[in-house]
Amino acid sequence: MTYKLLVGGYTSNGLRIVKFDPTTDTGSPITFQESTIAAGSDPSWIVRHPEKRDLILAVNEVEDGRVLAIQLTHATNGETTGELVANVSSGGGYPAHLLVLEDALVSGNYAGGSILHIPYELQQQVILTDHKDEKKSGIHVQFSGTGPNADRQESSHPHEVYRYGEELLIPDLGADKTWRLTKGESGWEIKGAIEYPAGAGPRHVLIHDGILYTVLELSNELSLHKWASLPESPSLITITSTFGSGKPAHRSMLAAEILLSPNKQFIYVSNRNDPSSEGDPLAVYSVPSSNAEFALVREIRTGVTHARGANFSPDGKYLAVVGNHSGSINIFEVIDGSPDGELKLVGGLQGLEKPTSVIWI
């Protein structure tokens, strides 16, 4: 079986198609498709529509932020092409994330300090509502806040839009908060926030089995809260380092992505900018359960530098990791039954331009 992956990044040369054949016994198991898919400037975050699987949604992380819809077509010769079918405003500057709901997209504008609700219709081609410069309350939500890190926390910086139940959670790296929103008559409304230590810089979140996990980018930590629905507030369980040594190997290191393993027994957190020749490490934590305590159980070297985007294959057999500074992708096999989340490197490829996100298509 040949897998295909789509890679976005800081580039104007299009999305790259990567082919991965784990069964090959000649040459590299990972190759590039020669042609690329046009996607504007800096398509840094890409995601598949959960139902219309050949529909790709993306952001252009630029000053005049854009949200794109791209329709994929898979030819009989094995080539995949893409057609840009919609291009609308993200509602703010430098969008870094995009959530796909049943009837709308929600963009998270990192520099703009805001989110925008973008309705869509699935017809022969997807139709996105373009709000242009309109910033109606409830459709456009503006956040505010600062932190002690003058370089990174001079204003609000939403880094993700995460849905859980009826709530939207917005980790705000600039404000040291995760905002909590629910939908009212006029649209999305801020109903509260989860606060973190000053300078922590929340980036991405994940909720599993009643626990909210938050990657704290600037402090290189992972926080755990016991989840509680509104109007109650989550209660802090612990905050722990994303390094086995308890501290980063270099002051430029930053935590990034968080993933739940396919078997739901482990949490993986990527760390960027490690000076090691073996690349950036993934921290692997055991998920607390009746059979296991929460703990950092393994660190896995990715072989890439500035490990930012990562995703498990839909069948749960492989993990792809892209390195923004190394311009590379490495793919690991998930070792079934491993007691500590072991991964085995099965292939890698250089030649990507500043990759930031990767999805399996």
Side-chain angles (χ1 to χ4, degrees):
M1 174 181 179
T2 297
Y3 297 83
K4 287 187 179 181
L5 302 93
L6 193 63
V7 180
Y10 294 132
T11 177
S12 296
N13 294 320
L15 304 176
R16 293 302 303 266
I17 299 286
V18 175
K19 298 179 181 180
F20 168 53
D21 181 1
T23 64
T24 185
D25 54 6
T26 59
S28 171
I30 306 177
T31 57
F32 288 136
Q33 177 177 295
E34 191 170 331
S35 60
T36 62
I37 295 174
S41 297
D42 297 345
S44 64
W45 186 264
I46 53 176
V47 62
R48 293 177 79 179
H49 191 277
E51 295 179 5
K52 193 175 174 61
R53 302 296 284 166
D54 286 333
L55 180 63
I56 303 299
L57 293 313
V59 299
N60 288 147
E61 193 177 337
V62 294
E63 185 174 2
D64 178 23
R66 309 297 294 176
V67 172
L68 313 179
I70 298 168
Q71 180 65 51
L72 298 183
T73 300
H74 305 285
T76 54
N77 66 358
E79 294 291 289
T80 296
T81 58
E83 178 188 2
L84 180 63
V85 294
N87 182 342
V88 302
S89 172
S90 73
Y94 297 93
H97 200 269
L98 189 65
L99 174 68
V100 183
L101 300 175
E102 292 84 357
D103 58 357
L105 310 177
V106 185
S107 59
N109 299 298
Y110 180 85
S114 65
I115 63 168
L116 183 69
H117 181 90
I118 305 170
Y120 68 81
E121 295 180 25
L122 289 179
Q123 299 182 7
Q124 270 195 323
Q125 288 187 343
V126 65
I127 299 174
L128 302 184
T129 298
D130 193 350
H131 295 291
K132 299 182 179 179
D133 294 329
E134 182 183 4
K135 295 185 177 180
K136 183 180 178 182
S137 178
I139 301 300
H140 178 273
V141 180
Q142 185 68 48
F143 306 104
S144 63
T146 59
N149 187 319
D151 293 331
R152 299 291 308 280
Q153 296 185 305
E154 79 292 348
S155 64
S156 167
H157 291 311
H159 218 305
E160 184 184 31
V161 184
Y162 184 91
R163 179 189 189 181
Y164 188 72
E166 299 301 313
E167 291 190 41
L168 292 187
L169 303 181
I170 316 293
D172 190 332
L173 185 144
D176 286 323
K177 295 178 181 179
T178 288
W179 303 99
R180 305 178 71 181
L181 285 70
T182 60
K183 206 169 187 183
E185 291 184 4
S186 61
W188 295 107
E189 302 172 349
I190 299 173
K191 292 297 185 179
I194 301 157
E195 305 213 6
Y196 304 91
R203 179 185 175 95
H204 282 184
V205 298
L206 184 155
I207 297 178
H208 173 64
D209 201 19
I211 296 178
L212 166 68
Y213 299 85
T214 307
V215 173
L216 304 176
E217 174 179 332
L218 302 182
S219 62
N220 295 294
E221 293 176 310
L222 180 67
S223 73
L224 280 69
H225 287 79
K226 184 178 179 181
W227 179 250
S229 298
L230 288 166
E232 303 299 319
S233 298
S235 55
L236 181 65
I237 299 171
T238 188
I239 299 178
T240 186
S241 173
T242 55
F243 304 101
S245 66
K247 61 181 181 180
H250 191 272
R251 59 186 176 84
S252 67
M253 292 192 70
L254 300 165
E257 189 58 279
I258 181 169
L259 297 171
L260 179 66
S261 66
N263 65 9
K264 298 180 172 50
Q265 294 180 4
F266 304 100
I267 297 287
Y268 292 79
V269 175
S270 67
N271 293 291
R272 296 173 286 171
N273 303 333
D274 193 299
S276 170
S277 60
E278 296 180 299
D280 291 333
L282 289 175
V284 186
Y285 301 88
S286 54
V287 169
S289 67
S290 57
N291 299 318
E293 294 183 352
F294 173 77
L296 197 160
V297 293
R298 176 184 277 266
E299 289 178 290
I300 298 171
R301 290 290 172 177
T302 62
V304 305
T305 305
H306 203 80
R308 179 160 162 170
N311 252 316
F312 286 102
S313 59
D315 60 13
K317 294 181 178 181
Y318 299 98
L319 173 69
V321 182
V322 292
N324 181 262
H325 292 177
S326 56
S328 58
I329 179 172
N330 278 352
I331 296 180
F332 298 82
E333 180 184 359
V334 176
I335 304 302
D336 190 36
S338 169
D340 56 5
E342 182 182 359
L343 303 172
K344 177 186 176 183
L345 180 65
V346 293
L349 195 62
Q350 301 279 336
L352 292 167
E353 184 177 2
K354 299 180 180 178
T356 56
S357 59
V358 57
I359 59 176
W360 300 74
I361 59 172

